[in-house]
Amino acid sequence: MSSSNRKPVHLAVYDTLADWETGHTTAYLARGGYEIRTVGASLAPVRSVGGLRIQPDVTLDDLWPEDSSLLILPGADLWDTSDDLAPFARKAREFLDADVPVAAICGGTAGLAREGLLDDRAHTSAVSFYLAATGYKGGERYVDTDAVTDGRLITAGPTEPVAFAREVFGLLGVYEGEVLDAWYRLFHDSDAEAYAVLEAAGQ
């Protein structure tokens, strides 16, 4: 699919957004030809945990799965301190019901757990007991690894932004095979040989 025919990727944004968790993902999706659009509960600006002011491009109510390639749910303090972000988890359900991918990291995984979206899917997060505290029923499907893809759903913990990006790129076909592996080794392990592989592939 040419970049001109690709639907945008939507990044959920809200106050206390964890800045570092999705940077690799959005930067290299954009380099791969995807438009990144921010989606908020309203069009009012939000502030990340690092103090960055972010202006949403579209509201949650105006976002439809058929208009998107992927919904990304970053972590945020608000996932664990209020129900304010529950509508984002409900939107994730709409996406998955429509067979459109969702990628959640850190607190975003807890939101999905509360929505019941992890009960029947393999998944990961920060630690198993973090999700267990939500009262969800998917504990037997928890996988103690850096990131997990189960069908159209990707999950990862807060210390794995590079593995999170790897799973997104693989699912969307941005990078594949040895190029995907090299990208991961470069950014996760500072592997200089991986850089040569990417250079040879024109990346």
Side-chain angles (χ1 to χ4, degrees), residues 162-187:
V162 179
F164 182 69
R166 177 196 65 206
E167 297 300 302
V168 170
F169 302 156
L171 186 61
L172 295 184
V174 176
Y175 303 130
E176 298 175 321
E178 68 173 6
V179 175
L180 179 61
D181 179 64
W183 185 92
Y184 177 75
R185 288 188 289 112
L186 177 62
F187 286 95

Side-chain angles (χ1 to χ4, degrees), residues 113-138:
R114 293 186 187 97
E115 183 64 19
L117 294 173
L118 304 184
D119 290 351
D120 300 310
R121 295 175 171 92
H123 59 275
T124 194
S125 184
V127 287
S128 60
F129 55 81
Y130 170 64
L131 291 186
T134 68
Y136 85 131
K137 300 175 182 177

Side-chain angles (χ1 to χ4, degrees), residues 52-139:
L52 299 180
R53 183 179 184 274
I54 303 169
Q55 176 73 56
D57 295 314
V58 64
T59 66
L60 204 57
D61 287 343
D62 290 331
L63 174 62
W64 304 99
E66 57 266 29
D67 298 327
S68 184
S69 290
L70 170 73
L71 174 63
I72 302 173
L73 298 180
D77 293 344
L78 285 178
W79 281 115
D80 300 316
T81 59
S82 75
D83 293 327
D84 291 356
L85 303 188
F88 290 90
R90 290 196 290 271
K91 183 62 68 172
R93 178 180 291 281
E94 290 180 29
F95 268 61
L96 292 172
D97 286 348
D99 200 36
V100 179
V102 171
I105 185 169
C106 190
T109 64
L112 297 187
R114 293 186 187 97
E115 183 64 19
L117 294 173
L118 304 184
D119 290 351
D120 300 310
R121 295 175 171 92
H123 59 275
T124 194
S125 184
V127 287
S128 60
F129 55 81
Y130 170 64
L131 291 186
T134 68
Y136 85 131
K137 300 175 182 177

